[in-house]
Amino acid sequence: MSFVTAHDIFHAYGHRPILERVNLSVAEGEFISIVGASGCGKSTFLRLLLAEERPDRGVISIDGAPPAREPDRARGVVFQRYSVFPHLTLEGNLVAAEGLGTRWGRLHGAARRAARERARATLERIGLAHAAAAYPSTLSGGMQQRLAIAQALTARPRILLLDEPFGALDPGTRVAMHDFLQEMRAETGMTVFMVTHDIQEGFKLGDRVVVFDKPRWDPQFPDAYGATITYDFDARHGGIPFQTLKEDTRVLQSA
Ligand SMILES: Nc1ncnc2c1ncn2[C@@H]1O[C@H](COP(=O)(O)OP(=O)(O)OP(=O)(O)O)[C@@H](O)[C@H]1O
Ligand SMILES: [Mg+2]
């Protein structure tokens, strides 16, 4: 059963097509790694899933309905830039993330104390326990990114969108955050879309690795065509492609 579906998506900025004929069907709980050249539209695709933008043509559906525009607990996000609350301490950031799922956006009393304890445990797990009372601006870029990832995971979203989440991290921290993400995923069964420039990371974490690329290319007009999904690899079974976009299927699709 498809949980997230992109059907025949076309999206342009002005006269520049960015994405064309993007089709993807994702089951609940799957981990999709997205790779592709810089500027080919990977972040744009995540923004469409988030409903920050609507596709010019085609349909995106999540659990059978168009993605909701309002931020909700269903979708957690870690973007290329850090997305933590600057006016809250590290602990406050994690407690606030739990509050996102409540009616008033805040927790009180025993629930708040329990959230605080979980926040401390999470900070311990990501190596930031010593900085629980510090503000994000006092942290290094890599530490802020770790906090942002922990924050998104704390809200236990049904869908997690990660845009190059580990780019700023040193190799040791990166592996620790991989473990953390995998543990959280095993606990929650969430569906994950992760854009990465590290193809090894894509295959290590993903169930599938999808490649965005431009199948059509005019050297005179490099912006004339958009990118689509050219490969969809099964990362769990030796990287065998599920589907490779062939010339004849392209003709059929555009016919
Ligand atoms: N709001 C916008 N208005 C106009 N053009 C945009 C807008 N957002 C993105 N673009 C352009 O669309 C193209 C795709 O951008 P996008 O950020 O999706 O690429 P990307 O694959 O995420 O690249 P990177 O790997 O460098 O992050 C780029 O050429 C970018 O300049
Ligand atoms: Mg991007």
Side-chain angles (χ1 to χ4, degrees):
M1 246 297 271
S2 181
F3 176 51
V4 179
T5 311
H7 178 69
D8 225 4
I9 300 303
F10 176 88
H11 198 63
Y13 289 123
H15 294 296
R16 262 183 73 201
I18 303 297
L19 297 171
E20 56 179 50
R21 279 175 270 132
V22 173
N23 287 289
L24 187 65
S25 177
V26 175
E28 179 142 38
E30 270 192 306
F31 191 129
I32 308 295
S33 298
I34 298 173
V35 300
S38 193
C40 73
K42 304 180 298 296
S43 298
T44 302
F45 184 65
L46 292 192
R47 284 197 297 275
L48 295 176
L49 290 178
L50 258 178
E52 277 189 7
E53 292 179 46
R54 295 260 182 231
D56 292 337
R57 292 206 294 273
V59 180
I60 303 236
S61 74
I62 296 179
D63 209 10
R69 252 179 200 267
E70 318 77 58
D72 59 7
R73 197 168 194 174
R75 287 159 301 156
V77 197
V78 180
F79 269 116
Q80 270 163 312
R81 283 180 300 281
Y82 318 124
S83 51
V84 295
F85 301 121
H87 60 290
L88 297 178
T89 64
L90 268 63
E91 188 185 292
N93 263 280
L94 295 182
V95 171
E98 290 210 25
L100 289 178
T102 66
R103 181 148 178 230
W104 304 110
R106 277 183 73 94
L107 298 167
H108 296 283
R112 188 170 179 80
R113 278 193 296 279
R116 229 181 251 157
E117 261 171 44
R118 280 194 295 275
R120 296 231 175 96
T122 302
L123 288 171
E124 193 81 49
R125 219 158 145 188
I126 62 171
L128 293 178
H130 62 283
Y135 287 86
S137 61
T138 64
L139 303 181
S140 71
M143 288 160 96
Q144 287 192 36
Q145 188 66 333
R146 264 189 277 168
L147 177 64
I149 293 163
Q151 192 189 41
L153 290 172
T154 296
R156 293 171 177 262
R158 214 167 154 200
I159 303 177
L160 183 66
L161 301 168
L162 299 169
D163 199 345
E164 299 179 45
F166 307 118
L169 305 180
D170 66 79
T173 309
R174 187 182 270 238
V175 169
M177 290 308 288
H178 286 174
D179 292 346
F180 180 51
L181 173 58
Q182 282 174 318
E183 284 165 28
M184 290 300 283
R185 188 187 164 214
E187 272 173 41
T188 61
M190 63 192 165
T191 307
V192 187
F193 292 84
M194 178 186 74
V195 173
T196 178
H197 281 285
D198 179 342
I199 198 148
Q200 266 182 319
E201 178 176 273
F203 272 94
K204 173 182 169 187
L205 297 178
D207 298 316
R208 291 158 67 182
V209 178
V210 302
V211 181
F212 278 74
D213 198 8
K214 291 186 178 184
R216 300 190 288 171
W217 174 259
D218 181 341
Q220 302 290 326
F221 303 100
D223 287 343
Y225 300 109
T228 190
I229 294 174
T230 52
Y231 287 95
D232 185 347
F233 293 104
D234 182 348
R236 293 284 162 263
H237 299 95
I240 310 290
F242 283 116
Q243 155 253 324
T244 309
L245 197 77
K246 294 196 184 72
E247 198 63 43
D248 52 351
T249 55
R250 258 182 278 151
V251 172
L252 278 178
Q253 280 177 348
S254 59

